[in-house]
Amino acid sequence: MGNVHVPTTPAINATTVIANDIGSLSSVDGESLTRDRKDIFDGFYYGSVGTPTSANLIRALVKLERAEFASLTPSCQSAITAVMLALVKPGDHILAVDTATYSTRWFLDRRLSSFGIQIDYYAPSAAEDISRYFRPNTKLVFMESPGSFTYEVQDVAAIASACRSIGAYSVLDNTWAACTFFKPFDHGVDVSVVSLSKNAGGPAGMALGAVFSNRRSIYASIASEIALCGLHVSAHTCASVLSAMSSMGARLEHQQRSAAAIIRFLQAQPEIETVFHPALEDHPGHTLWRAGFSGSNSLISVSFRDVFKQWIPSFLGALQLFGIWIWMGRSGESRQCLPRK
Ligand SMILES: *Cc1c(COP(=O)(O)O)cnc(C)c1O
């Protein structure tokens, strides 16, 4: 190696993995997926299932999320589907927060419900009283905090504790916090999922998801579900996300400052009715956000006063700085508008 090294992780693109001695051979079963690795080269048997590059990314991510274990998936959507498929079975009941992002609801409503799994939605303001919605077959409670796209903040610790009392799994979509602003395992959750397609890998144009847990048995079920479904990720993607992640802390700092300036501007506009952002004191989730979060990302939503609504399409069409706005209508329809060049 000499006296120098490079601070970047190369993409070790490999499907064939060759053991140097018979003692280093891994068995092809769930155990080898989840065993502790001596180093990033340890324990691989097939490059599709994992590489030293994915192991290096996992190492970085578990430190950020303060978790013991993690697996990678091609997107957060596939992370969520793998978690659900691993932890619930026909006849079980899932409670999901009403403010979960639309793609999570698609999977619950269009797929899981057709597998004989019951799904109910609860209000994001639920805390200990979530137990009112528990049924004898409640197996999993899904949270997303802050929620999409008005950022309701959930009492994660209270819900995780209620889940423990009935032996149900608590699962948090922690994408908003970008593995940075909220540490789910300090609040007692069983599983967190994060979309790395956003703050971590977005600048590299990479889609990727991660599932975290502090409980080995839960992690082992999810890791084997990921393998069963073949939800593997490429070394190239992992190397690009690692590289983009090295600037994430600096980007988030800058984005927080920019968001604060944009919020101040928006609040002064007569067309705007409400600006939604949990760092605002009048936001309903502000107290919980202050207590549990160390910062915020740059997601901002606004609602327009009624008289200005007719102008929204031309407003969106005239934007110069913002590339895509997702516009949520009252009835839930959404449109993406590209600004004029
Ligand atoms: C984008 C997003 C997802 C889906 O992530 P993908 O990586 O695009 O599949 C899930 N949850 C939240 C909160 C998101 O913002």
Side-chain angles (χ1 to χ4, degrees), residues 4-339:
V4 296
H5 71 281
V6 292
T8 47
T9 300
I12 299 180
N13 292 305
T15 52
T16 303
V17 175
I18 298 170
N20 292 334
D21 56 77
I22 195 137
S24 309
L25 277 179
S26 288
S27 59
V28 183
D29 57 23
E31 188 275 324
S32 59
L33 287 172
T34 56
R35 74 177 202 192
D36 294 324
R37 300 183 194 289
K38 289 196 289 293
D39 59 55
I40 58 167
F41 284 91
D42 181 41
F44 293 111
Y45 57 90
Y46 181 38
S48 149
V49 176
T51 57
T53 318
S54 58
N56 231 355
L57 177 54
I58 286 172
R59 273 191 174 185
L61 287 168
V62 290
K63 275 194 204 136
L64 277 180
E65 189 81 346
R66 270 192 221 146
E68 294 267 329
F69 310 107
S71 293
L72 299 170
T73 54
S75 61
C76 185
Q77 179 69 358
S78 48
I80 291 168
T81 61
V83 168
M84 302 279 183
L85 293 174
L87 302 183
V88 294
K89 58 181 191 321
D92 287 342
H93 175 232
I94 293 177
L95 278 170
V97 69
D98 201 30
T99 41
T101 197
Y102 60 95
S103 47
T104 302
R105 295 184 66 130
W106 280 348
F107 183 70
L108 293 170
D109 297 340
R110 298 186 192 178
R111 185 58 68 242
L112 282 194
S113 59
S114 70
F115 290 170
I117 291 158
Q118 297 168 318
I119 293 135
D120 279 321
Y121 291 96
Y122 65 90
S125 54
E128 309 64 52
D129 58 340
I130 185 92
S131 55
R132 281 193 293 150
Y133 306 105
F134 286 163
R135 296 191 199 166
N137 57 341
T138 302
K139 195 66 175 288
L140 187 149
V141 177
F142 188 87
M143 297 171 266
E144 182 186 309
S145 176
S148 300
F149 293 98
T150 37
Y151 319 119
E152 291 79 359
V153 183
Q154 294 195 249
D155 192 337
V156 172
I159 292 177
S161 152
C163 287
R164 271 194 304 280
S165 73
I166 58 156
Y169 300 110
S170 52
V171 179
L172 171 70
D173 184 333
N174 197 34
T175 297
W176 190 95
C179 297
T180 302
F181 302 125
F182 187 81
K183 304 299 177 186
F185 300 98
D186 295 354
H187 298 259
V189 307
D190 294 321
V191 176
S192 69
V193 294
V194 173
S195 173
L196 305 175
S197 322
K198 310 287 166 57
N199 296 87
M206 292 295 168
L208 200 70
V211 186
F212 300 89
S213 185
N214 271 2
R215 289 171 57 189
R216 185 182 287 273
S217 61
I218 296 178
Y219 161 67
S221 313
I222 296 168
S224 72
E225 196 65 34
I226 288 170
L228 282 178
C229 296
L231 300 176
H232 302 309
V233 300
S234 79
H236 186 77
T237 304
C238 294
S240 299
V241 172
L242 260 169
S243 162
M245 256 173 57
S246 63
S247 64
M248 187 168 76
R251 283 188 276 115
L252 288 171
E253 280 291 323
H254 181 73
Q255 286 167 354
Q256 282 189 68
R257 278 200 302 279
S258 301
I262 292 168
I263 288 170
R264 277 195 300 278
F265 170 81
L266 288 169
Q267 285 178 321
Q269 305 311 308
E271 295 87 349
I272 302 288
E273 188 179 52
T274 312
V275 179
F276 298 92
H277 191 278
L280 291 171
E281 272 175 27
D282 59 355
H283 186 277
H286 181 71
T287 309
L288 278 170
W289 174 80
R290 269 189 93 92
F293 287 75
S294 60
S296 61
N297 67 28
S298 54
L299 285 169
I300 305 164
S301 300
V302 296
S303 67
F304 287 82
R305 289 189 203 284
D306 276 337
V307 293
F308 295 106
K309 287 203 173 136
Q310 57 178 315
W311 302 109
I312 292 175
S314 33
F315 165 74
L316 292 172
L319 288 171
Q320 303 285 329
L321 286 176
F322 294 93
I324 299 179
W325 276 52
I326 299 180
W327 170 33
M328 302 298 288
R330 275 272 144 80
S331 54
E333 82 275 13
S334 68
R335 286 193 215 166
Q336 298 193 345
C337 303
L338 293 173

